[in-house]
């Protein structure tokens, strides 16, 4: 009777005394493969080769924290300040990681994967891609940053990719779009860290639909550090919000 | 084989074409009982009588919103600002409703229910309760407010309770503790809205363990209003946090 | 220096001893207006008239609970079972209310508001709307239900709307689409409760972008009831998930 | 005027073109330090030495996934199934990581840190600690597992600790309690992975209040893998909950 809706999983097999991640014994992975390699395995189903492992390590290290201003940190600290446990505070931080905060990885990877799969050479594709965005007056996700003119994390990621001889059609396309933009508009719109992660993970073969996941995996330790700092340095219910607000709604009135 | 762990629910029965809440047909409840009465039914298992219904309506109306400063609103707006859907924004707001924000209802109700169940007259119990808290240097949850000296919602709730002749041992104890405090300390520590809700719902027979729930049910519409205002009046990723911060960690240093 | 980014709110004004919701004193609202009326005020900025108040009360009562099977309830109970506080459990439930669970209100209201604002009579618009959906092979949000052939909540909501003489272009369009579907396809695809709420709140003038909010406001008390039932009737970490699963990933393998 | 409530952070310093984590340039960390080392830096304020880095890597790898049955996975998959974005699904999973799921790390570390800081030799402390728990009839957090008699991750973590000559008073106490239990009760209650992580991170000097954080950092990639598997292998709104339930509430009844 309860046979309805049997389902399958290919991630982890569990038996008493045995845990196998994608077929590998967890006890064998521990101590023999780095944390980043095991994350790669869980997400992709296979272990990375040496270049992929180094590249992935750098990607995950790139976004562990960016200070107190991002929405995710404000959200984590606010929930901490309301008197809540670590997991609730971290969950609230992750909830803030939406379309306009971290979401560019996902959207940029989607665009790169869509366009890089088309026939044609990269510079032609970059030209068409940019034309389309300019024509539709849309923002290019993964380009530009509200603080950094040149994002130091992008520079570093691309340098590591070059050293590892790790570059494919997606990185090339991302760079070609950046170059083409400068040509057409006469000003730079540099690839930000979201765009760089999108390009590199696309060359690694990751589906764009987990793009936001790389950012979340990376940032989670930063959120925990902010939870802890709020806990030990600040008093509960402190004024975390921008205090510069004003009420401009209906004037005081009476029920009829 | 799948018979393992059968479980039971006494809240709602569902059949094709029929939904019964605690035994009552939802279609019969709709239009014949107010939203507040149906909430009472879902939570308690029985419909309220007329006085309980009026009292409960006033309780739920009391906390729909309190402006932009509470942690829950900041959390909801921050998640909205990160480019997320309504349900994620509201969930983040609810996550902020912890021990120091709304949690006093729960803790105050726990204390009132524990002490009101003891033998003895109310003024003696109030005396002992307060002695214990003062001796242990603990804060009394449900008393005092960071903004309001006298919480207008408390005044109103107790007035409605009086008009409805709706007062029992828990309200009496809450007031007696307030009076005793003034006597002992020579200054007022008025019951805030959390304490008033705790006292009234305890007299209604609600378990203190759902105390925070009344606040959440009430505040949820306020959070949605803030989500919507953020969406239509503000640009994404705006600076919602208090900008007055400074880095005071380790100076710039190099890897060895 | 910190004048940067002043912001405005028109929802609630707060001063010591005074809380005004959209201009009305909260203490005056409490006891004089129902909970549903105050919710309407917070969301819309104005109090409802008598017919709107009755209609809105029935809408909010319609979705308080639907038993243990919806994703939101499973999510709330699972988080409860993991040993978490009420607010975290409720937040997890709200997180489940997405595109395929409750999200139809939003999408259906968006479609109704878009089409009802066009010129032309309702039956012509219904015809075109349905043609477009059938042509694009898209599902009509707000129509059909996995359990109920005829949703009893829809029947009741439309009956109350009729009694209150409360029907405008959006309800008419929603019904016309349903009738047209039966004509074209030879079978019924009845409006479900999501569709009914979408139609009625659209006639009330609510923006579709808070459509999911009505469902959340309504369901929150059900989620709290399920939290409480899980807490008092079940042991922690019980097997809440469908036990009928199987691992079909890579066979056991060794590191090279 | 807005000088009120200045606050400080010692985690990350941000300037245009420069991001420093605890004083180290992020671009220098990337490619030169592993992801696990950077996480350690963010959480502790200092980089780990070589033994600490290896130990920490193994800890984080230990809990990446444990199949489909844990509450966190059920919660993530349920929210995914409701039609929600990756970040909402992952946040819901983290919300499930409470007192009875992952929470043992925190509680076990608290106990070990409290007792290991007392004077006296380890075996005497273990004896007293256990006596106290048995006398109070309390469960020992971090001991026993519902599936594994001997937790393979514990065995592996302690072996790595031994190889690295990495063992202090907290690991010793944890093991002494386990041995003492077997002596007193005549049966084994082995340290589970939560207890092992608690003991090792306590010897590393981590505050027990971020104990749950190690589990969350580790498990987050597993949750993303489950989100993705649910997305690509299952249909929306499927029956994820244990279907073996029954309504046992009030019989059908009418309003009076």
């Amino acid at each position: 009777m309860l046979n309805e809706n049997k389902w399958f999983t290919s991630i982890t097999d569990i038996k008493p005394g045995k845990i196998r991640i994608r077929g590998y014994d967890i006890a064998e992975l521990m101590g023999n493969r780095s944390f980043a390699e095991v994350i790669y395995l869980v997400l992709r189903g296979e272990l990375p080769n040496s270049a992929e492992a180094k590249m992935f390590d750098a990607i995950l290290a790139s976004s562990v924290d960016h200070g107190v201003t991002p929405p995710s940190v404000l959200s984590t600290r606010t929930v901490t300040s309301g008197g809540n446990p670590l997991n609730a505070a971290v969950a609230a931080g992750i909830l803030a990681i939406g379309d306009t905060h971290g979401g560019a990885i996902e959207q940029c990877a989607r665009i790169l994967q869509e366009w890089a799969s088309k026939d044609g050479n990269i510079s032609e594709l970059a030209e068409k891609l940019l034309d389309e965005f300019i024509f539709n007056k849309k923002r290019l996700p993964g380009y530009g940053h509200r603080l950094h003119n040149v994002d130091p994390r992008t520079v570093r990621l691309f340098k590591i990719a070059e050293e590892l001889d790790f570059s494919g059609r997606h990185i090339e396309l991302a760079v070609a779009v950046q170059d083409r933009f400068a040509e057409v508009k006469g000003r730079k719109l540099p690839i930000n860290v979201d765009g760089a992660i999108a390009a590199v993970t696309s060359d690694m073969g990751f589906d764009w639909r987990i793009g936001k996941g790389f950012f979340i995996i990376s940032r989670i330790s930063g959120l925990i550090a902010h939870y802890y700092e709020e806990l030990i340095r600040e008093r509960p219910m402190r004024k975390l919000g921008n205090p510069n607000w004003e009420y401009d709604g209906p004037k005081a009135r009476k029920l009829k």
Side-chain angles (χ1 to χ4, degrees), chain A residues 63-66 70 72 101 215-223:
Chain A
S63 302
V64 285
D65 198 47
H66 196 265
S72 49
H101 174 33
F215 182 65
I216 292 175
I217 293 170
S218 183
R219 185 56 55 92
I220 202 93
S221 51
L223 295 178

Side-chain angles (χ1 to χ4, degrees), chain A residues 19 25-26 31 33-34 42 52 55 66 102 111-112 121 133 143 147 169 184-185 187 199 204 208 232 256:
Chain A
I19 301 163
D25 191 327
I26 188 74
R33 289 294 179 272
S34 74
V42 171
E52 287 165 337
M55 196 70 244
H66 196 265
I111 293 162
L112 293 175
N121 72 46
F133 271 76
Y143 290 79
L147 180 68
R169 218 165 147 80
V184 173
K185 294 282 192 178
R187 64 181 172 87
M204 282 178 163
W208 64 268
I232 62 174
K256 277 158 222 161

Side-chain angles (χ1 to χ4, degrees), chain A residues 191-207:
Chain A
I191 301 170
N192 60 33
V193 69
D194 291 344
I197 293 174
V200 178
T201 54
S202 292
D203 272 344
M204 282 178 163
F206 280 102
D207 189 327

Side-chain angles (χ1 to χ4, degrees), chain A residues 77-97:
Chain A
R77 282 184 175 262
T78 301
V79 169
T80 307
S81 193
N84 288 284
L86 186 151
N87 66 322
V90 169
I94 289 175
L95 286 178
I97 299 174

Side-chain angles (χ1 to χ4, degrees), chain A residues 22 24 37-48 52:
Chain A
R22 306 287 191 182
Y24 293 106
E37 286 173 288
V38 177
I39 294 173
Y40 186 102
L41 172 67
V42 171
L43 295 177
R44 287 299 297 280
E46 296 297 329
L47 283 162
E52 287 165 337

